[in-house]
Amino acid sequence: MKITLLLHNAYGIGGTVRTTWNLAAALADHHDVEIVSMLRHRARPRFEVDPRVRLVPLVDLREGSPDMADPRLREPAVVFPAAEKRYRQYSRLTDLRAEEHLRRCAADVIIGTRPGINVYLARFGPRRALRIAQEHLTHDAHGKRLRGELARRYAELDAVVTTTEADAAVYRARMPLPGVRVLAVPNIVPEPPIPPSDGTATVIAAAGRLVRGKRFDLLIDAFAQVSAKYPEWTLRIYGAGPERERLKELIGERGLEGQARLMGARSPIEAEFAQASIVASASSAESFGMTLAEAMRCGVPVVSTDCPLGPAEIITPGVDGVLVPVGDGGALADALLELVSDATARRHMGQAALVSARRFDPGPIVERYEHLFAELAGDRHVRGWRRHSARWRRRLRRVLPR
Protein backbone atom coordinates (compact mmCIF):
# COMPACT_ATOMS: atom_id res chain seq x y z
CA MET A 1 0.00 0.00 0.00
CA LYS A 2 1.24 3.50 -0.86
CA ILE A 3 0.75 6.02 1.95
CA THR A 4 1.38 9.78 1.79
CA LEU A 5 1.52 12.01 4.87
CA LEU A 6 1.14 15.77 4.35
CA LEU A 7 3.11 17.91 6.82
CA HIS A 8 3.50 21.67 7.29
CA ASN A 9 7.31 21.61 7.56
CA ALA A 10 9.10 18.28 7.97
CA TYR A 11 12.38 20.16 8.51
CA GLY A 12 11.16 21.89 11.67
CA ILE A 13 10.78 20.85 15.26
CA GLY A 14 7.59 20.23 17.22
CA GLY A 15 5.16 17.59 18.39
CA THR A 16 3.32 17.13 15.09
CA VAL A 17 6.58 16.86 13.16
CA ARG A 18 7.96 14.30 15.59
CA THR A 19 4.81 12.16 15.63
CA THR A 20 4.50 12.23 11.85
CA TRP A 21 8.05 10.96 11.41
CA ASN A 22 7.35 8.28 14.03
CA LEU A 23 4.20 7.13 12.24
CA ALA A 24 5.88 7.18 8.84
CA ALA A 25 8.76 5.02 10.07
CA ALA A 26 6.39 2.53 11.70
CA LEU A 27 4.19 2.29 8.58
CA ALA A 28 7.29 1.79 6.42
CA ASP A 29 7.72 -1.69 7.94
CA HIS A 30 4.92 -2.89 5.64
CA HIS A 31 4.08 -0.05 3.25
CA ASP A 32 5.55 2.39 0.72
CA VAL A 33 5.57 5.72 2.61
CA GLU A 34 6.35 9.32 1.72
CA ILE A 35 6.13 12.58 3.64
CA VAL A 36 5.20 15.65 1.61
CA SER A 37 6.43 18.82 3.32
CA MET A 38 4.60 21.97 2.28
CA LEU A 39 7.61 24.09 3.24
CA ARG A 40 11.37 23.63 3.55
CA HIS A 41 13.69 26.05 5.31
CA ARG A 42 16.89 24.04 5.86
CA ALA A 43 19.00 21.37 4.19
CA ARG A 44 18.18 18.47 6.51
CA PRO A 45 15.32 17.65 8.89
CA ARG A 46 16.05 18.12 12.57
CA PHE A 47 14.66 14.70 13.45
CA GLU A 48 16.27 11.42 12.50
CA VAL A 49 15.01 10.31 9.09
CA ASP A 50 14.13 6.71 8.32
CA PRO A 51 15.80 5.99 4.96
CA ARG A 52 12.75 4.00 3.84
CA VAL A 53 10.57 7.13 3.97
CA ARG A 54 10.73 9.46 0.97
CA LEU A 55 10.70 13.18 1.75
CA VAL A 56 9.18 15.48 -0.89
CA PRO A 57 9.37 19.26 -0.21
CA LEU A 58 7.02 21.50 -2.21
CA VAL A 59 8.20 25.08 -1.57
CA ASP A 60 11.85 25.79 -0.78
CA LEU A 61 12.32 28.82 1.49
CA ARG A 62 16.10 28.58 1.70
CA GLU A 63 18.05 31.65 0.65
CA GLY A 64 18.99 31.48 -3.03
CA SER A 65 16.42 28.83 -3.97
CA PRO A 66 14.43 29.41 -7.22
CA ASP A 67 11.21 29.49 -5.19
CA MET A 68 12.39 32.58 -3.33
CA ALA A 69 12.39 34.47 -6.65
CA ASP A 70 8.94 33.25 -7.67
CA PRO A 71 6.47 36.19 -7.44
CA ARG A 72 3.67 33.81 -6.41
CA LEU A 73 5.50 33.30 -3.12
CA ARG A 74 4.57 36.88 -2.20
CA GLU A 75 0.92 36.52 -3.19
CA PRO A 76 -1.51 35.54 -0.40
CA ALA A 77 -2.87 32.02 -0.34
CA VAL A 78 -6.36 31.60 -1.80
CA VAL A 79 -7.15 27.98 -0.88
CA PHE A 80 -5.39 27.68 2.49
CA PRO A 81 -7.92 28.97 5.07
CA ALA A 82 -7.32 32.57 6.13
CA ALA A 83 -8.56 31.71 9.65
CA GLU A 84 -5.85 29.05 10.09
CA LYS A 85 -3.04 30.06 12.46
CA ARG A 86 -0.34 29.29 9.88
CA TYR A 87 -2.01 31.30 7.11
CA ARG A 88 0.71 33.95 6.85
CA GLN A 89 3.29 31.24 6.13
CA TYR A 90 1.33 30.10 3.08
CA SER A 91 1.13 31.70 -0.36
CA ARG A 92 -0.37 31.28 -3.79
CA LEU A 93 2.72 29.25 -4.67
CA THR A 94 1.99 26.84 -1.80
CA ASP A 95 -1.61 26.51 -2.99
CA LEU A 96 -0.52 25.66 -6.52
CA ARG A 97 2.24 23.25 -5.52
CA ALA A 98 -0.11 21.40 -3.16
CA GLU A 99 -2.78 21.15 -5.85
CA GLU A 100 -0.29 19.92 -8.45
CA HIS A 101 1.14 17.25 -6.16
CA LEU A 102 -2.19 15.98 -4.87
CA ARG A 103 -3.85 15.80 -8.30
CA ARG A 104 -1.10 13.50 -9.56
CA CYS A 105 -0.64 11.62 -6.27
CA ALA A 106 -0.77 7.83 -6.76
CA ALA A 107 -1.10 6.98 -3.05
CA ASP A 108 -3.78 4.61 -1.77
CA VAL A 109 -4.03 6.56 1.50
CA ILE A 110 -3.35 10.28 2.04
CA ILE A 111 -3.20 11.69 5.58
CA GLY A 112 -3.18 15.42 6.36
CA THR A 113 -1.80 16.65 9.66
CA ARG A 114 -3.20 20.17 10.23
CA PRO A 115 -6.48 21.96 9.36
CA GLY A 116 -5.27 24.03 6.40
CA ILE A 117 -3.50 21.07 4.85
CA ASN A 118 -6.63 18.98 5.37
CA VAL A 119 -8.49 21.59 3.31
CA TYR A 120 -5.94 21.03 0.52
CA LEU A 121 -6.60 17.30 0.85
CA ALA A 122 -10.37 17.74 0.62
CA ARG A 123 -10.11 20.10 -2.36
CA PHE A 124 -7.42 18.37 -4.42
CA GLY A 125 -6.93 14.82 -3.10
CA PRO A 126 -7.87 12.08 -5.63
CA ARG A 127 -11.26 10.53 -4.85
CA ARG A 128 -9.95 7.00 -5.44
CA ALA A 129 -7.58 7.41 -2.44
CA LEU A 130 -8.63 7.18 1.20
CA ARG A 131 -8.36 10.73 2.51
CA ILE A 132 -7.87 11.11 6.26
CA ALA A 133 -7.58 14.29 8.32
CA GLN A 134 -5.47 14.07 11.47
CA GLU A 135 -6.21 16.70 14.11
CA HIS A 136 -3.23 17.50 16.34
CA LEU A 137 -5.10 20.49 17.78
CA THR A 138 -8.37 20.19 19.66
CA HIS A 139 -11.73 21.12 18.17
CA ASP A 140 -12.07 24.07 20.57
CA ALA A 141 -8.62 25.37 19.68
CA HIS A 142 -10.02 26.42 16.30
CA GLY A 143 -11.93 29.66 15.94
CA LYS A 144 -15.58 29.73 14.91
CA ARG A 145 -14.78 30.82 11.35
CA LEU A 146 -12.26 28.03 10.83
CA ARG A 147 -14.58 25.43 12.35
CA GLY A 148 -17.26 26.44 9.84
CA GLU A 149 -14.92 25.89 6.91
CA LEU A 150 -13.61 22.63 8.33
CA ALA A 151 -17.16 21.32 8.75
CA ARG A 152 -17.75 21.84 5.01
CA ARG A 153 -14.42 20.39 3.90
CA TYR A 154 -14.14 17.51 6.35
CA ALA A 155 -17.54 16.27 5.14
CA GLU A 156 -15.79 15.35 1.87
CA LEU A 157 -13.14 13.16 3.55
CA ASP A 158 -13.20 9.54 4.66
CA ALA A 159 -12.12 9.96 8.29
CA VAL A 160 -11.06 12.45 10.96
CA VAL A 161 -8.54 11.12 13.49
CA THR A 162 -7.95 12.91 16.80
CA THR A 163 -5.27 12.06 19.36
CA THR A 164 -7.67 11.62 22.30
CA GLU A 165 -11.06 9.99 22.84
CA ALA A 166 -12.29 13.16 24.53
CA ASP A 167 -11.59 15.29 21.47
CA ALA A 168 -13.17 12.71 19.15
CA ALA A 169 -16.34 12.95 21.25
CA VAL A 170 -16.33 16.74 20.89
CA TYR A 171 -16.03 16.47 17.10
CA ARG A 172 -18.89 13.98 16.93
CA ALA A 173 -21.11 16.23 19.05
CA ARG A 174 -20.29 19.62 17.55
CA MET A 175 -19.28 18.84 13.97
CA PRO A 176 -21.66 16.19 12.57
CA LEU A 177 -20.02 14.57 9.52
CA PRO A 178 -22.35 11.99 7.90
CA GLY A 179 -20.39 9.26 6.16
CA VAL A 180 -17.10 10.30 7.82
CA ARG A 181 -15.50 8.14 10.51
CA VAL A 182 -14.43 10.16 13.55
CA LEU A 183 -12.16 8.29 15.93
CA ALA A 184 -9.14 8.63 18.21
CA VAL A 185 -5.71 7.06 17.70
CA PRO A 186 -2.91 8.13 20.08
CA ASN A 187 0.47 9.27 18.87
CA ILE A 188 3.33 6.81 18.54
CA VAL A 189 6.05 7.32 21.16
CA PRO A 190 8.82 4.78 20.52
CA GLU A 191 10.95 3.31 23.28
CA PRO A 192 14.10 5.49 23.48
CA PRO A 193 17.50 3.82 22.97
CA ILE A 194 18.78 4.98 26.37
CA PRO A 195 18.60 3.65 29.94
CA PRO A 196 15.64 4.99 31.93
CA SER A 197 16.00 7.44 34.79
CA ASP A 198 16.90 5.93 38.18
CA GLY A 199 15.02 8.70 39.99
CA THR A 200 18.04 9.90 41.98
CA ALA A 201 18.88 13.13 40.10
CA THR A 202 17.73 16.29 41.89
CA VAL A 203 16.28 17.64 38.63
CA ILE A 204 12.78 18.61 37.54
CA ALA A 205 12.47 18.93 33.75
CA ALA A 206 9.88 20.49 31.46
CA ALA A 207 9.72 20.90 27.71
CA GLY A 208 7.63 22.66 25.10
CA ARG A 209 7.38 25.78 23.03
CA LEU A 210 7.89 28.88 25.17
CA VAL A 211 4.43 30.39 24.70
CA ARG A 212 1.86 31.66 27.19
CA GLY A 213 -0.41 28.64 26.89
CA LYS A 214 2.29 26.33 28.26
CA ARG A 215 2.30 28.34 31.52
CA PHE A 216 5.99 28.00 32.28
CA ASP A 217 5.55 31.10 34.44
CA LEU A 218 3.24 29.10 36.71
CA LEU A 219 5.79 26.28 36.83
CA ILE A 220 8.61 28.69 37.77
CA ASP A 221 6.49 30.12 40.61
CA ALA A 222 5.69 26.60 41.83
CA PHE A 223 9.35 25.63 41.65
CA ALA A 224 10.24 28.66 43.79
CA GLN A 225 8.36 26.96 46.63
CA VAL A 226 10.26 23.72 46.00
CA SER A 227 13.59 25.54 45.93
CA ALA A 228 12.86 27.26 49.24
CA LYS A 229 12.68 23.87 51.00
CA TYR A 230 15.03 21.85 48.80
CA PRO A 231 17.68 24.22 47.40
CA GLU A 232 19.69 21.34 45.89
CA TRP A 233 16.93 20.72 43.32
CA THR A 234 17.03 22.43 39.92
CA LEU A 235 14.49 23.12 37.18
CA ARG A 236 15.44 22.69 33.52
CA ILE A 237 13.07 24.05 30.88
CA TYR A 238 13.69 22.88 27.30
CA GLY A 239 12.26 24.78 24.36
CA ALA A 240 12.33 27.99 22.37
CA GLY A 241 9.74 30.64 21.68
CA PRO A 242 8.59 34.23 22.18
CA GLU A 243 8.24 33.96 25.97
CA ARG A 244 11.93 33.29 26.57
CA GLU A 245 12.88 36.80 27.71
CA ARG A 246 9.85 37.16 29.96
CA LEU A 247 10.58 33.80 31.60
CA LYS A 248 14.23 34.76 32.04
CA GLU A 249 13.16 37.94 33.83
CA LEU A 250 10.77 35.98 36.02
CA ILE A 251 13.56 33.60 37.04
CA GLY A 252 15.62 36.62 38.08
CA GLU A 253 12.72 38.19 39.98
CA ARG A 254 12.20 34.96 41.96
CA GLY A 255 15.91 34.75 42.78
CA LEU A 256 16.26 31.41 40.98
CA GLU A 257 19.34 32.13 38.83
CA GLY A 258 21.40 28.98 38.68
CA GLN A 259 18.51 26.84 39.94
CA ALA A 260 15.95 27.38 37.16
CA ARG A 261 17.47 27.36 33.69
CA LEU A 262 16.16 27.86 30.16
CA MET A 263 18.05 25.17 28.27
CA GLY A 264 16.95 25.90 24.69
CA ALA A 265 15.39 23.39 22.32
CA ARG A 266 16.58 19.77 22.35
CA SER A 267 15.75 17.03 19.88
CA PRO A 268 15.28 14.28 20.74
CA ILE A 269 14.23 15.23 24.26
CA GLU A 270 14.40 11.76 25.86
CA ALA A 271 18.10 12.01 26.67
CA GLU A 272 17.34 15.09 28.77
CA PHE A 273 14.30 13.56 30.48
CA ALA A 274 16.33 10.49 31.45
CA GLN A 275 18.60 12.79 33.48
CA ALA A 276 15.64 14.08 35.51
CA SER A 277 13.58 12.53 38.32
CA ILE A 278 10.34 14.46 37.66
CA VAL A 279 8.87 15.99 34.51
CA ALA A 280 6.32 18.79 34.96
CA SER A 281 3.70 20.37 32.71
CA ALA A 282 1.63 23.42 33.66
CA SER A 283 -0.18 23.82 30.30
CA SER A 284 -3.61 25.40 30.01
CA ALA A 285 -4.51 23.00 27.17
CA GLU A 286 -2.97 20.04 25.36
CA SER A 287 -4.31 18.14 22.35
CA PHE A 288 -2.30 15.09 23.44
CA GLY A 289 0.68 15.84 25.67
CA MET A 290 3.62 14.39 23.76
CA THR A 291 6.19 15.39 26.37
CA LEU A 292 4.23 13.51 29.06
CA ALA A 293 4.37 10.27 27.09
CA GLU A 294 8.05 10.84 26.24
CA ALA A 295 8.86 11.36 29.93
CA MET A 296 7.04 8.17 30.90
CA ARG A 297 9.01 6.31 28.22
CA CYS A 298 12.09 7.37 30.19
CA GLY A 299 10.74 6.02 33.47
CA VAL A 300 10.05 9.49 34.87
CA PRO A 301 6.83 10.28 36.79
CA VAL A 302 4.92 13.30 35.51
CA VAL A 303 3.19 16.11 37.39
CA SER A 304 0.73 17.77 35.03
CA THR A 305 -2.25 20.07 35.04
CA ASP A 306 -5.47 18.22 34.25
CA CYS A 307 -6.02 20.37 31.20
CA PRO A 308 -8.19 19.54 28.22
CA LEU A 309 -7.84 17.06 26.66
CA GLY A 310 -4.75 14.85 26.72
CA PRO A 311 -3.17 14.43 30.17
CA ALA A 312 -6.11 12.56 31.73
CA GLU A 313 -5.82 9.92 28.98
CA ILE A 314 -2.07 9.55 29.49
CA ILE A 315 -1.57 9.73 33.28
CA THR A 316 -3.12 7.43 35.87
CA PRO A 317 -3.09 9.66 38.98
CA GLY A 318 -1.19 8.21 41.92
CA VAL A 319 0.17 5.36 39.77
CA ASP A 320 2.47 6.83 37.11
CA GLY A 321 2.00 10.54 37.75
CA VAL A 322 -0.05 13.29 39.35
CA LEU A 323 -2.79 15.55 37.94
CA VAL A 324 -3.50 18.97 39.45
CA PRO A 325 -6.14 21.61 38.60
CA VAL A 326 -5.38 23.96 35.71
CA GLY A 327 -3.89 27.28 36.80
CA ASP A 328 -3.47 26.21 40.44
CA GLY A 329 0.14 27.06 41.26
CA GLY A 330 -0.26 25.97 44.88
CA ALA A 331 -1.47 22.49 43.91
CA LEU A 332 1.34 22.21 41.38
CA ALA A 333 3.92 23.14 44.02
CA ASP A 334 2.42 20.69 46.53
CA ALA A 335 2.55 17.83 44.02
CA LEU A 336 6.16 18.59 43.15
CA LEU A 337 7.11 18.83 46.82
CA GLU A 338 5.47 15.49 47.55
CA LEU A 339 7.56 13.70 44.92
CA VAL A 340 10.74 15.64 45.71
CA SER A 341 10.47 14.55 49.34
CA ASP A 342 9.69 10.88 48.60
CA ALA A 343 12.32 9.00 46.60
CA THR A 344 10.45 5.71 47.01
CA ALA A 345 7.28 7.13 45.49
CA ARG A 346 9.27 8.59 42.60
CA ARG A 347 10.88 5.23 41.90
CA HIS A 348 7.60 3.30 42.01
CA MET A 349 5.82 5.83 39.80
CA GLY A 350 8.73 5.81 37.36
CA GLN A 351 8.58 2.03 37.06
CA ALA A 352 4.81 2.18 36.53
CA ALA A 353 5.29 4.87 33.89
CA LEU A 354 7.61 2.58 31.91
CA VAL A 355 4.95 -0.13 31.86
CA SER A 356 2.07 2.26 31.10
CA ALA A 357 3.90 3.90 28.20
CA ARG A 358 4.02 0.64 26.25
CA ARG A 359 0.55 1.48 24.89
CA PHE A 360 2.31 4.02 22.68
CA ASP A 361 4.44 1.32 21.01
CA PRO A 362 4.46 1.61 17.20
CA GLY A 363 3.10 -1.90 16.52
CA PRO A 364 -0.39 -1.64 18.10
CA ILE A 365 -0.95 1.87 16.75
CA VAL A 366 0.01 0.87 13.21
CA GLU A 367 -2.42 -2.04 13.52
CA ARG A 368 -5.17 0.41 14.42
CA TYR A 369 -4.41 2.49 11.34
CA GLU A 370 -4.31 -0.58 9.10
CA HIS A 371 -7.64 -1.71 10.51
CA LEU A 372 -9.04 1.75 9.80
CA PHE A 373 -7.77 1.65 6.21
CA ALA A 374 -9.45 -1.74 5.66
CA GLU A 375 -12.75 -0.55 7.18
CA LEU A 376 -12.79 2.65 5.14
CA ALA A 377 -12.10 0.76 1.92
CA GLY A 378 -14.76 -1.82 2.74
CA ASP A 379 -17.63 0.54 3.49
CA ARG A 380 -16.78 3.34 1.06
CA HIS A 381 -20.07 3.01 -0.87
CA VAL A 382 -22.21 2.95 2.29
CA ARG A 383 -20.51 6.05 3.64
CA GLY A 384 -20.90 7.76 0.26
CA TRP A 385 -24.64 7.09 0.33
CA ARG A 386 -24.89 8.57 3.84
CA ARG A 387 -22.99 11.65 2.74
CA HIS A 388 -25.18 12.24 -0.32
CA SER A 389 -28.37 11.59 1.65
CA ALA A 390 -27.39 14.16 4.26
CA ARG A 391 -26.55 16.66 1.52
CA TRP A 392 -30.00 16.26 -0.12
CA ARG A 393 -31.76 16.55 3.23
CA ARG A 394 -30.01 19.86 3.85
CA ARG A 395 -31.05 21.13 0.43
CA LEU A 396 -34.65 20.09 0.98
CA ARG A 397 -34.79 21.89 4.31
CA ARG A 398 -33.73 25.10 2.61
CA VAL A 399 -36.41 24.99 -0.11
CA LEU A 400 -39.41 23.34 1.60
CA PRO A 401 -41.70 25.22 4.03
CA ARG A 402 -41.47 24.10 7.64
Side-chain angles (χ1 to χ4, degrees), residues 81-345:
E84 226 264 33
K85 294 178 181 179
R86 297 280 188 180
Y87 176 73
R88 293 185 180 277
Q89 298 180 40
Y90 282 72
S91 65
R92 188 62 185 140
L93 181 60
T94 326
D95 285 350
L96 294 171
R97 293 278 172 82
E99 179 178 5
E100 178 185 9
H101 187 89
L102 284 168
R103 291 202 185 281
R104 59 182 173 79
C105 182
D108 303 296
V109 179
I110 309 175
I111 302 173
T113 58
R114 70 171 300 114
I117 294 174
N118 294 333
V119 170
Y120 282 158
L121 179 57
R123 290 281 301 273
F124 308 131
R127 298 301 188 265
R128 56 170 178 70
L130 297 176
R131 296 172 300 155
I132 299 171
Q134 279 185 352
E135 272 287 357
H136 292 271
L137 296 173
T138 64
H139 172 278
D140 293 348
H142 305 318
K144 182 178 179 180
R145 182 181 169 195
L146 180 59
R147 290 199 299 267
E149 182 163 1
L150 295 182
R152 293 192 301 273
R153 298 303 178 187
Y154 282 9
E156 303 171 33
L157 301 176
D158 293 286
V160 175
V161 177
T162 66
T163 57
T164 65
E165 294 289 350
D167 200 32
V170 173
Y171 270 91
R172 294 188 198 105
R174 302 183 190 174
M175 191 183 287
L177 299 169
V180 181
R181 286 285 308 280
V182 179
L183 71 158
V185 180
N187 290 328
I188 289 175
V189 185
E191 181 180 3
I194 54 174
S197 168
D198 62 8
T200 61
T202 55
V203 175
I204 299 169
R209 184 160 166 73
L210 305 184
V211 293
R212 288 186 181 272
K214 295 296 185 181
R215 293 305 312 269
F216 288 113
D217 57 336
L218 189 73
L219 176 58
I220 290 169
D221 282 341
F223 176 71
Q225 299 182 48
V226 174
S227 178
K229 293 185 177 181
Y230 299 92
E232 71 277 14
W233 279 74
T234 60
L235 172 65
R236 300 175 183 175
I237 298 175
Y238 298 92
E243 287 287 287
R244 180 180 176 82
E245 288 305 313
R246 189 174 80 91
L247 295 175
K248 186 177 179 180
E249 291 176 3
L250 181 60
I251 288 171
E253 291 170 4
R254 299 294 183 267
L256 296 173
E257 298 97 333
Q259 288 178 286
R261 298 175 58 194
L262 302 177
M263 309 295 292
R266 296 287 193 279
S267 176
I269 192 63
E270 287 90 343
E272 311 302 332
F273 283 167
Q275 297 179 41
S277 292
I278 303 168
V279 166
S281 171
S283 289
S284 298
E286 289 285 353
S287 57
F288 177 69
M290 191 68 176
T291 58
L292 308 183
E294 288 169 332
M296 292 167 69
R297 273 297 200 185
C298 297
V300 182
V302 178
V303 175
S304 172
T305 50
D306 189 11
C307 62
L309 294 164
E313 292 189 24
I314 295 174
I315 297 169
T316 302
V319 177
D320 50 29
V322 182
L323 292 174
V324 301
V326 176
D328 191 336
L332 182 61
D334 289 343
L336 291 173
L337 282 165
E338 185 174 346
L339 285 182
V340 163
S341 65
D342 192 339
T344 300

Side-chain angles (χ1 to χ4, degrees), residues 179 378-387:
D379 65 4
R380 186 194 294 265
H381 296 299
V382 174
R383 290 184 295 100
W385 180 84
R386 290 174 183 164
R387 183 182 296 117

